[in-house]
Amino acid sequence: MEPLYTAEALATGAGRNGHTRTPDGKVDFDLSIPTSMGGDGVGTNPEQLFAAGYAACFHSALQGVARKAKVDLGDSTVGARVSIGRNDDGEGFGLAVELEVTIPDLPHEQAQELADAAHRVCPYSNATRGNIPVTVTVSDD
């Protein structure tokens, strides 16, 4: 792969209870463990960052496949839920992702075809495929 863009970030401090920033300063904030995992939940966490990135990337892929198919997505949205939990073997942690695609005024079947096509081309989907469970659901709302 020839890179078109490379993002860079640095985490400092105590990992999930530390700080992260990018060299350009566009990302610059404290991290904290979620309260459900025993932390104070004051800052953001890696799962929130992953959810935001995956939702944006998938929405861009969806727009690209829709443009190619000459379909207007209108006020489409993509929501992402990233869950973290202990692996089945109790050694370490794993992730799971749920993506929810909403394309108002488009028949469900057509919206599902576009979502499936986006899942085939989205870089985040390609990176996670076969590594973590990713569910793509098309909402009729």
Side-chain angles (χ1 to χ4, degrees), residues 71-138:
V71 174
D72 181 8
L73 294 180
D75 292 327
S76 62
T77 61
V78 174
R81 290 179 198 90
V82 174
S83 300
I84 184 170
R86 288 214 173 269
N87 287 333
D88 290 338
D89 61 9
E91 297 287 324
F93 293 84
L95 299 174
V97 175
E98 297 174 43
L99 298 171
E100 184 177 1
V101 176
T102 303
I103 308 173
D105 305 320
L106 201 64
H108 183 87
E109 185 175 304
Q110 187 178 14
Q112 186 67 58
E113 288 174 6
L114 291 172
D116 292 344
H119 194 38
R120 287 191 296 274
V121 301
C122 173
Y124 277 56
S125 293
N126 289 333
T128 58
R129 187 170 291 111
N131 297 310
I132 64 172
V134 177
T135 304
V136 180
T137 302
V138 173

Side-chain angles (χ1 to χ4, degrees), residues 9-21 28-31:
L10 179 67
T12 58
R16 288 178 167 274
N17 279 323
H19 190 87
T20 191
R21 76 176 310 276
D28 188 353
F29 44 76
D30 292 328
L31 300 166

Side-chain angles (χ1 to χ4, degrees), residues 4-81:
L4 300 174
Y5 170 75
T6 300
E8 208 178 316
L10 179 67
T12 58
R16 288 178 167 274
N17 279 323
H19 190 87
T20 191
R21 76 176 310 276
T22 55
D24 61 9
K26 291 181 181 179
V27 172
D28 188 353
F29 44 76
D30 292 328
L31 300 166
S32 64
I33 297 172
T35 55
S36 64
M37 292 176 64
D40 64 17
V42 173
T44 190
N45 60 67
E47 291 71 38
Q48 288 175 323
L49 299 171
F50 188 55
Y54 204 155
C57 188
F58 196 90
H59 201 195
S60 184
L62 182 66
Q63 291 168 343
V65 297
R67 204 171 23 257
K68 188 174 179 180
K70 297 181 180 6
V71 174
D72 181 8
L73 294 180
D75 292 327
S76 62
T77 61
V78 174
R81 290 179 198 90

